[in-house]
Amino acid sequence: KAGVTQTPRYLIKTRGQQVTLSCSPISGHRSVSWYQQTPGQGLQFLFEYFSETQRNKGNFPGRFSGRQFSNSRSEMNVSTLELGDSALYLCASSRMRQGNTEAFFGQGTRLTVV
Amino acid sequence: DQQVKQNSPSLSVQEGRISILNCDYTNSMFDYFLWYKKYPAEGPTFLISISSIKDKNEDGRFTVFLNKSAKHLSLHIVPSQPGDSAVYFCAASNGGSQGNLIFGKGTKLSVKP
């Protein structure tokens, strides 16, 4: 079955702009989480969505937001982009929120802010 | 405050030998641990996991050991192959929720032919 799909794969934006990234989870998976990967900080949790509701949020400013649709697809938005937002943004899906089930990652969106 | 630590940024091993990747954690509430492998420009790929009620889980060449009293886990790869060269991330979750994984910073494994 198809894996987690993230679009676009690469993106270049200018400081001050906003960006929307998309994630389609594995069919049947209802939990979608977003992570930011940077060389200095590693993989850091942004937020988690389940049944169209944000269930958890990491320690990121309010410029980072997201949503989940009824088909479990998710988008994340970053407004007023800063140079430090340049990173690989990864989406992960899992069948459930709880229980010992692994999360599967997409290939990520590489965002470069110039 | 880093709750999951991988203290070795890199590890080099000869093909055919054992690779041992280590991970320490500080939060005693973590009850599920996972290892992911990552190649450049790709998302992490799930390798193996272990619940806190176990001390060992094996899947082919990969074995994860958990020492709860020491808050330490390790991933053993035997025998190591050049295709295993990648960055390995240890991750932990709290309360069985896979939606919020806390990751270590990774260990880059190089397996030399």
Side-chain angles (χ1 to χ4, degrees):
Chain A
K1 62 184 175 183
V4 178
T5 304
Q6 290 188 247
T7 56
R9 288 292 310 278
Y10 302 94
L11 207 48
I12 299 176
K13 289 285 188 178
T14 306
R15 271 182 303 174
Q17 286 187 310
Q18 76 161 16
V19 67
T20 299
L21 312 181
S22 179
C23 172
S24 293
I26 292 172
S27 177
H29 285 198
R30 297 172 62 195
S31 174
V32 173
S33 298
W34 290 88
Y35 295 83
Q36 181 196 65
Q37 186 186 17
T38 56
Q41 298 298 321
L43 276 148
Q44 291 189 289
F45 171 74
L46 278 157
F47 23 65
E48 175 202 3
Y49 286 89
F50 184 84
S51 293
E52 303 177 64
T53 302
Q54 187 179 93
R55 305 290 178 157
N56 271 306
K57 191 177 193 306
N59 189 23
F60 279 82
R63 299 185 297 107
F64 292 81
S65 63
R67 58 178 176 167
Q68 186 180 34
F69 302 95
S70 57
N71 61 358
S72 294
R73 192 177 71 83
S74 176
E75 289 181 347
M76 69 163 277
N77 184 280
V78 189
S79 62
T80 321
L81 283 165
E82 300 176 0
L83 294 179
D85 297 333
S86 295
L88 180 67
Y89 290 88
L90 291 158
C91 166
S93 78
S94 54
R95 279 190 301 114
M96 303 174 291
R97 285 198 66 230
Q98 296 181 322
N100 294 336
T101 174
E102 60 270 15
F104 294 88
F105 283 81
Q107 290 187 295
T109 294
R110 171 71 63 185
L111 172 65
T112 303
V113 182
V114 298
Chain B
D1 178 33
Q2 217 180 327
Q3 297 185 69
V4 177
K5 298 179 185 178
Q6 293 177 257
N7 292 319
S8 298
S10 62
L11 175 68
S12 184
V13 171
Q14 206 66 32
E15 181 180 6
R17 299 290 189 99
I18 183 171
S19 294
I20 301 176
L21 297 109
N22 293 304
C23 178
D24 297 296
Y25 62 96
T26 58
N27 188 340
S28 57
M29 296 299 292
F30 288 147
D31 62 359
Y32 192 55
F33 303 89
L34 309 91
W35 283 93
Y36 285 85
K37 173 181 177 180
K38 188 179 184 299
Y39 294 114
E42 292 187 12
T45 302
F46 170 76
L47 270 178
I48 192 169
S49 61
I50 189 166
S51 164
S52 60
I53 61 173
K54 294 186 175 182
D55 55 18
K56 178 182 174 181
N57 189 25
E58 199 170 348
D59 184 1
R61 296 186 298 116
F62 301 92
T63 303
V64 57
F65 295 92
L66 175 63
N67 183 333
K68 282 182 64 179
S69 61
K71 294 192 180 68
H72 176 84
L73 64 156
S74 60
L75 174 68
H76 293 209
I77 306 174
V78 184
S80 302
Q81 299 173 353
D84 296 330
S85 298
V87 178
Y88 289 77
F89 290 95
C90 168
S93 72
N94 179 359
S97 169
Q98 308 331 316
N100 178 4
L101 293 173
I102 309 299
F103 282 86
K105 292 197 176 181
T107 296
K108 184 175 182 180
L109 173 66
S110 299
V111 180
K112 301 190 183 307

